[in-house]
């Protein structure tokens, strides 16, 4: 890890001081006279509001006080009622955009979305509106371009925003896209009248952990002389890949990239509702909705959202610190390598990107009973060709060795 500007490891005491300080800077429904907001603290009959219970629990305290982070807080004005915890969210956005993705300080906007699905749709929405408003495009002149291994949220975006979607095939074994095939898809789209491309490049796919060759996309797009915007889907890989590939080209240093999705509720073990959307300054305005009752308008898809989610992610990153995070991914890489060695010695075919903690085994080498017993996830529930193992915090070598034993047993039975 290079020297971090915003991301500093903090002690539990420091974290509590900052979060409780932020809650003090928010309005307090209990102690103040606040009469105009359609919101309050959590129902006291159900959720314990007892001071001694909440004393050393900054996250639970935030949940109980229930701040609403409606809107985007990295630009313009925001609701003044929740300024304390909004400032924590702003710090979180800088940590992700600058210290993890190598952007320049304060040159990106962003917010904590409901998840990767929303963050991807938000990106595509911004670019669609940009092409329509600034380039006088019609919806039918625009298409989404991604790979066949892309997450199905791209199909949701295409459907909701009434855009065409074109998918580049991937090689069955290497799961990679190549420039030639990208060019073919672009040329076909051009023949069909597409002039503006919303391109989504994967930083670790859900099923394989594969990382798209971004140069293949940008070279093909430049050659084809088409207008495009490029979004990176790091919903799975955003808190992993930047730490395992020192030479990653998927950062804000790459001028072709405008925005990113990261999910803290995948690799970062945060509560659900912690997708992170990041975009270079000057773009999110394309998704502006004049929301007259929200101070500072709304540039987000979601509307009301819990401030506790931003606090949770900020606490997780601050507690670990950048070096702690690097170590976390280092251990998972080591476990993944251990598993790959064992699979090789059993002659079980699998795919794994060298910077990833996902191992996807060819289905013909895995007995369905074994897949079922170990909760391995298929690429397709009706006709599985692959089963994946995701090496998370709880997926220890101890547990992996049980799977190895069962895979061995099954191979023996088949051979005899
Ligand atoms: C999980 C995932 C998504 C969708 O994220 P949700 O948080 O489930 O909405 C999008 N893209 C990729 C690559 C993912 O792994």
């Amino acid at each position: 890890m290079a020297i971090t500007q915003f991301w500093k490891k903090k002690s539990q005491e420091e974290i509590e001081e900052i979060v409780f300080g932020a809650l003090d800077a928010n309005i307090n429904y209990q102690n103040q006279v606040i009469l105009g907001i359609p919101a309050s603290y959590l129902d006291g009959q159900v959720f314990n509001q007892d001071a001694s219970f909440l004393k050393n629990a900054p996250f639970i305290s935030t949940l109980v006080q229930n701040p609403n982070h409606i809107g985007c807080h990295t630009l313009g004005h925001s609701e003044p009622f929740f300024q304390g915890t909004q400032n924590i969210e702003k710090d979180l956005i800088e940590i992700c955009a600058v210290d993890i993705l190598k952007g320049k300080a304060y040159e990106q906007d962003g917010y904590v979305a409901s998840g990767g699905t929303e963050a991807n749709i938000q990106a595509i929405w911004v670019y669609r509106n940009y092409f329509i408003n600034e380039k006088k495009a019609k919806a039918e002149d625009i298409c989404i371009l991604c790979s066949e291994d892309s997450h199905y949220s791209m199909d949701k975006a295409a459907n909701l925003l009434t855009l065409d979607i074109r998918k580049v095939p991937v090689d069955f074994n290497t799961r990679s896209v190549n420039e030639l095939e990208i060019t073919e898809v672009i040329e076909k789209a051009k023949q069909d009248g597409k002039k503006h491309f919303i391109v989504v490049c994967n930083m670790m796919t859900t099923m394989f952990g594969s990382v798209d060759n971004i140069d293949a996309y940008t070279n093909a797009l430049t050659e084809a002389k088409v207008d495009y915007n490029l979004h990176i889907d790091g919903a799975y890989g955003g808190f992993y890949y930047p730490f395992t590939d020192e030479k990653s080209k998927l950062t804000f240093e790459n001028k072709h990239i405008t925005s990113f999705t990261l999910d803290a509720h995948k690799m970062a073990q945060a509560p659900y509702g912690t997708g992170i959307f990041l975009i270079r300054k000057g773009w999110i305005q394309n998704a502006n909705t004049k929301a007259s009752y929200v101070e500072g308008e709304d540039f987000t898809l979601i509307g009301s959202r819990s401030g506790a989610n931003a606090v949770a992610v900020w606490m997780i990153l601050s507690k670990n610190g950048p070096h702690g995070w690097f170590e976390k991914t280092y251990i998972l890489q080591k476990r993944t390598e251990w598993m790959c060695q064992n699979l090789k010695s059993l002659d079980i075919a699998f795919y794994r990107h060298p910077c990833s903690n996902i191992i996807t085994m060819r289905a013909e080498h895995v007995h369905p009973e074994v897949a079922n017993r170990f909760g391995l996830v298929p690429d397709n529930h009706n006709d599985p060709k692959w089963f994946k193992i995701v090496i998370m915090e709880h997926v220890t070598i101890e547990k992996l060795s049980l799977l190895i034993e069962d895979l061995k047993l099954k191979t023996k039975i088949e051979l005899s």
Side-chain angles (χ1 to χ4, degrees), residues 345-385:
S345 63
L346 291 177
D347 275 326
I348 292 174
F350 63 89
Y351 170 86
R352 181 223 172 185
H353 185 285
C355 299
S356 145
N357 60 336
I358 296 179
I359 302 171
T360 312
M361 297 176 288
R362 293 281 295 275
E364 60 266 36
H365 297 236
V366 184
H367 196 283
E369 255 173 45
V370 175
N372 198 32
R373 188 171 323 135
F374 288 89
L376 306 182
V377 170
D379 60 329
N380 178 326
H381 283 271
N382 300 320
D383 174 26
K385 292 193 171 57

Side-chain angles (χ1 to χ4, degrees), residues 138-397:
K138 294 195 209 67
E140 58 264 33
D141 306 336
I142 307 169
C143 84
I144 301 171
L145 179 68
C146 61
S147 93
E148 63 171 315
D149 278 351
S150 290
H151 188 263
Y152 68 94
S153 47
M154 302 331 147
D155 300 285
K156 284 187 181 172
N159 186 263
L160 286 165
L161 298 165
T162 57
L163 295 174
D164 227 336
I165 181 165
R166 301 292 167 100
K167 294 187 185 174
V168 180
V170 302
D171 179 87
F172 183 80
N173 290 308
T174 67
R175 309 316 295 182
S176 59
V177 291
N178 73 55
E179 198 175 320
L180 221 69
E181 289 196 284
I182 297 171
T183 301
E184 263 175 43
V185 176
I186 296 173
E187 288 308 322
K188 174 75 178 54
K190 278 168 80 177
Q191 283 165 22
D192 297 339
K194 307 299 172 195
K195 298 186 186 74
H196 310 276
F197 291 76
I198 299 172
V199 187
V200 183
C201 181
N202 290 301
M203 181 200 281
M204 297 179 77
T205 55
T206 318
M207 189 63 207
F208 295 92
S210 51
V211 179
D212 291 337
N213 175 356
I214 188 165
D215 294 337
Y217 273 108
T218 54
N219 290 344
L221 289 156
T222 310
E223 278 294 302
K225 294 192 171 56
V226 289
D227 190 22
Y228 73 91
N229 268 299
L230 181 53
H231 174 73
I232 306 297
D233 183 4
Y236 178 83
F239 287 100
Y240 196 86
Y241 183 75
F243 302 89
T244 56
D245 185 1
E246 277 172 47
K247 298 197 185 75
S248 170
K249 290 180 173 176
L250 305 179
T251 71
F252 277 116
E253 282 177 347
N254 187 329
K255 64 181 192 320
H256 301 292
I257 299 171
T258 308
S259 55
F260 284 85
T261 290
L262 321 178
D263 260 355
H265 58 221
K266 295 237 173 101
M267 283 311 300
Q269 295 174 271
Y272 288 105
T274 51
I276 296 178
F277 176 69
L278 302 170
I279 188 163
R280 289 184 197 276
K281 285 242 178 240
W283 287 93
I284 203 167
Q285 287 80 352
N286 289 290
N288 187 7
T289 310
K290 302 236 173 343
S292 51
Y293 75 81
V294 181
E295 185 162 346
E297 307 184 335
D298 189 2
F299 299 92
T300 71
L301 182 52
I302 186 171
S304 292
R305 57 192 177 88
S306 172
N309 287 333
V311 169
V313 183
W314 181 89
M315 284 175 61
I316 291 170
L317 296 178
S318 302
K319 191 70 185 268
N320 283 275
H323 298 295
W325 207 266
F326 175 78
E327 277 190 30
K328 225 170 149 67
T329 58
Y330 186 81
I331 290 167
L332 297 180
Q333 281 293 91
K334 288 292 162 200
R335 285 186 199 161
T336 311
E337 278 151 26
W338 180 92
M339 189 63 187
C340 288
Q341 284 308 327
N342 276 278
L343 292 176
K344 268 183 205 153
S345 63
L346 291 177
D347 275 326
I348 292 174
F350 63 89
Y351 170 86
R352 181 223 172 185
H353 185 285
C355 299
S356 145
N357 60 336
I358 296 179
I359 302 171
T360 312
M361 297 176 288
R362 293 281 295 275
E364 60 266 36
H365 297 236
V366 184
H367 196 283
E369 255 173 45
V370 175
N372 198 32
R373 188 171 323 135
F374 288 89
L376 306 182
V377 170
D379 60 329
N380 178 326
H381 283 271
N382 300 320
D383 174 26
K385 292 193 171 57
W386 300 89
F387 283 108
K388 73 169 168 178
I389 308 169
V390 185
I391 317 284
M392 305 288 291
E393 177 102 4
H394 67 277
V395 183
T396 54
I397 289 187

Side-chain angles (χ1 to χ4, degrees), residues 70-104:
I70 192 167
C72 177
H73 312 307
T74 54
L75 78 168
H77 295 288
S78 288
E79 294 274 2
F81 308 118
F82 307 108
Q83 231 159 45
T85 48
Q86 283 168 4
N87 284 336
I88 291 185
E89 177 165 330
K90 281 158 77 170
D91 194 38
L92 169 67
I93 296 300
E94 295 304 319
I95 291 174
C96 296
V98 178
D99 291 328
I100 299 181
L101 293 168
K102 301 187 177 174
K104 294 209 177 85

Side-chain angles (χ1 to χ4, degrees), residues 23-157:
L23 290 175
D24 283 343
N26 282 3
I27 51 150
N28 188 308
Y29 296 115
Q30 186 103 41
N31 311 335
Q32 290 167 273
V33 187
I34 304 291
L35 310 179
I37 313 177
S40 189
Y41 45 78
L42 294 188
D43 188 324
Q45 297 174 84
V46 179
F47 303 98
N48 194 338
Q49 320 250 345
D50 186 55
S52 61
F53 168 73
L54 296 172
K55 192 165 165 281
N56 294 311
F59 173 64
I60 306 289
S61 296
T62 312
L63 272 180
V64 169
Q65 292 200 24
N66 207 19
N68 183 355
H69 278 197
I70 192 167
C72 177
H73 312 307
T74 54
L75 78 168
H77 295 288
S78 288
E79 294 274 2
F81 308 118
F82 307 108
Q83 231 159 45
T85 48
Q86 283 168 4
N87 284 336
I88 291 185
E89 177 165 330
K90 281 158 77 170
D91 194 38
L92 169 67
I93 296 300
E94 295 304 319
I95 291 174
C96 296
V98 178
D99 291 328
I100 299 181
L101 293 168
K102 301 187 177 174
K104 294 209 177 85
Y106 310 113
E107 290 191 6
Q108 292 75 218
D109 287 313
Y111 72 98
V112 179
S114 56
T117 298
E118 182 194 328
N120 287 337
I121 296 171
Q122 171 84 19
I124 295 169
W125 186 35
V126 164
Y127 303 135
R128 186 201 64 164
N129 289 357
Y130 166 76
F131 290 137
I132 290 175
N133 297 334
E134 305 296 326
K135 301 287 181 94
K136 305 293 164 233
K138 294 195 209 67
E140 58 264 33
D141 306 336
I142 307 169
C143 84
I144 301 171
L145 179 68
C146 61
S147 93
E148 63 171 315
D149 278 351
S150 290
H151 188 263
Y152 68 94
S153 47
M154 302 331 147
D155 300 285
K156 284 187 181 172

